[in-house]
Amino acid sequence: MKKSNVAMLIVFLALIPLTLFLGDKLPGKGYYITGVLIIIELAVPFFMMFEKRKPQARELVVLAVMIALAVIGRVAIPIPHFKAAFAIIMLTGIAFGPEAGFIVGAITAFASNFFYGQGAYMPWQMMAYGAGGMLAGFVFIKNKIPKKPWIMAIFGFLAVVIWIGPLLDTSHIFIMMPEISFATITASLASGFPVNVSQGLCTALMMIVFGKPLLEKLDRVKQKYGMLEDENGI
Amino acid sequence: MGFELCHPAVNLIYFVSVLYGMLCFRHPVFLAISFLSAVAYSIKRNGMKAVIFDAVLLPLTSAFALYYSTYNHFGVTVIEQNLIGNSITLESLIYGAVIGLTVSGAMIWFSCIYSVFTSDKVVYLFGKASPKLSLFLSVLLRMVPRIKYEAKKINTAQRGIGRGINQGNIFSRIRNCIRIFSIMITWIIDSLSLQSESMQSRGSLLRGRKAFSIYRFDNRDRAYVIAMFANITLTVMGVMLKQTEIVYDPKIIITPITSVSYLFYIGYAVLCLMPLGLELYTEYRFRKARKIITR
């Protein structure tokens, strides 16, 4: 494991939950502060990815394009709970590694919420979306698992149903529920299950349709410019 | 010859205050003033195109009012009962019209903003924060027209081999659209990284670099700003004296209109009509000066 991967895990497991926990106590529109804090915390492992050099403008530009695509994938599809954003975030994680996946996911949640309305759930969404990209990056690291469309589709479905969906539902537990008990937790997880399945189906479909071409494009720029790698970046 | 020749900061202050007024004042008089001056100014700027745009927005507004009143049933004045027994009230109908007018008025103001604010002004105003931000701004603002142009080019090329977006049956059309979209993404990623690379090679990110601009803050801008702030102050006084307040639910309640209220109305109207007046006045001066030459 690289140093930046370890830093990523530390940020995800320790710093972000702490921020969310403290951010819940902020009054009014404090969730903006929490959201910005999460982005700042994420920047640490992201910059560690480049080790001795600074990230180039072109690398940030490629990530910006991926964020724009993911936002469009969420906003432009008019079917509720059937959005392409997760698939694009995961593909970014697969192509560029967990740190890039996390930062793309978090900023996608932040930016696309301007279309849907911000709320206290926004930092949680940033965390959950980013966690999806991060998981994809860790699972497909070092090409141990072949990046075939149907494998990515199965992974996408399982990741949404088991990982991203429940993470999103925890926000419901902490924000809405008057008390936290086993019954309330199972109730909110169960009520989120159909939504997660429909999102997972959409993610799987998108992986099959767009997985291969999008991954090819990203791998191409990666090879052409040596992008988002620790060495031989100019 | 007109408002776009003022200093960009003046344009920014004006449009921010006018948009704020448009979106926040629910009082019918203020709403009417803002909406009508938006229509007048957009017609002055964009001509026939603006007339069509504004004319399309009006039926949409009334349609929205009808839609709103069929889903919201607050208010005490019942007009009639609809099919499923819900009462349609005068208050919700009027409030729907107010929301519709607010949104369409903001859209008309935005059409004016697009014609006044060119991308070099945006870079000039917001790029001062850092050279990196100004690089991103200039690349991104140029991106939208470039994407349109490139999409047209790709579609023309694809049409040549029978894969255009309007060739074949519905399924092959969808497939063609997806294919062109995929080509576009490849092009966008590649050209963006090339562009930022080339701008960096020319020293775009160096410290102390400034964006070239021809703007300077002269006495005409000063006079304009002073007049603008006088009117903004009048309007703010009106807001403080609760002249803009109105309640729609459950009954329409307006702060009583006194003779002083007209002062605030005039202040707001002058504020909204200032650029239109400036442009008409400059044209008048220009024509008069030209007459002297040709005589």
Side-chain angles (χ1 to χ4, degrees), chain B residues 224-271:
Chain B
Y224 196 87
V225 165
I226 289 167
M228 196 160 72
F229 269 100
N231 289 316
I232 290 177
T233 315
L234 255 183
T235 315
V236 170
M237 272 161 67
V239 174
M240 281 173 164
L241 292 174
K242 301 192 173 174
Q243 287 296 318
T244 57
E245 275 187 16
I246 181 165
V247 180
Y248 286 99
D249 180 17
K251 203 179 158 190
I252 299 177
I253 304 166
I254 309 182
T255 323
I257 296 173
T258 55
S259 52
V260 190
S261 318
Y262 291 104
L263 187 67
F264 303 129
Y265 298 159
I266 290 169
Y268 190 54
V270 171
L271 172 68

Side-chain angles (χ1 to χ4, degrees), chain A residues 33-105:
Chain A
I33 300 171
T34 322
V36 172
L37 267 181
I38 288 180
I39 292 181
I40 292 171
E41 283 160 13
L42 284 175
V44 176
F46 180 71
F47 282 107
M48 278 174 77
M49 236 173 111
F50 303 97
E51 298 202 347
K52 275 171 196 153
R53 67 192 180 85
K54 279 185 185 170
Q56 300 290 310
R58 54 163 191 242
E59 289 160 335
L60 302 182
V61 154
V62 170
L63 291 188
V65 171
M66 294 314 289
I67 292 167
L69 267 183
V71 172
I72 292 171
R74 187 169 177 219
V75 176
I77 297 179
I79 314 163
H81 310 310
F82 200 77
K83 311 286 187 187
F86 290 141
I88 293 164
I89 293 167
M90 283 178 196
L91 284 171
T92 316
I94 291 169
F96 293 140
E99 301 87 357
F102 206 119
I103 211 156
V104 165

Side-chain angles (χ1 to χ4, degrees), chain B residues 127-139:
Chain B
K128 276 185 175 172
S130 85
K132 220 169 211 166
L133 181 66
S134 96
L135 179 138
F136 273 116
L137 273 178
S138 49
V139 168

Side-chain angles (χ1 to χ4, degrees), chain B residues 114-145:
Chain B
Y114 280 128
S115 81
V116 169
F117 254 95
T118 44
S119 54
D120 59 324
K121 288 186 181 177
V122 180
V123 173
Y124 171 75
L125 282 173
F126 298 102
K128 276 185 175 172
S130 85
K132 220 169 211 166
L133 181 66
S134 96
L135 179 138
F136 273 116
L137 273 178
S138 49
V139 168
L140 286 181
L141 289 169
R142 182 79 190 94
M143 209 55 213
V144 179

Side-chain angles (χ1 to χ4, degrees), chain A residues 55-58 60-62 65-66 69 209-210 213-214 217-218 220-221 224-225 227, chain B residues 132 135-136 139 178 181-183 185-186 188-194 196-197 200 205:
Chain A
Q56 300 290 310
R58 54 163 191 242
L60 302 182
V61 154
V62 170
V65 171
M66 294 314 289
L69 267 183
V209 177
F210 289 110
L214 206 56
K217 289 179 214 313
L218 294 180
R220 177 177 160 277
V221 279
K224 187 174 172 185
Y225 298 105
M227 226 172 239
Chain B
K132 220 169 211 166
L135 179 138
F136 273 116
V139 168
I178 292 177
F181 184 64
S182 151
I183 297 171
I185 293 169
T186 314
I188 289 171
I189 292 178
D190 221 46
S191 82
L192 268 181
S193 37
L194 265 181
S196 55
E197 193 89 318
Q200 198 184 359
L205 292 179

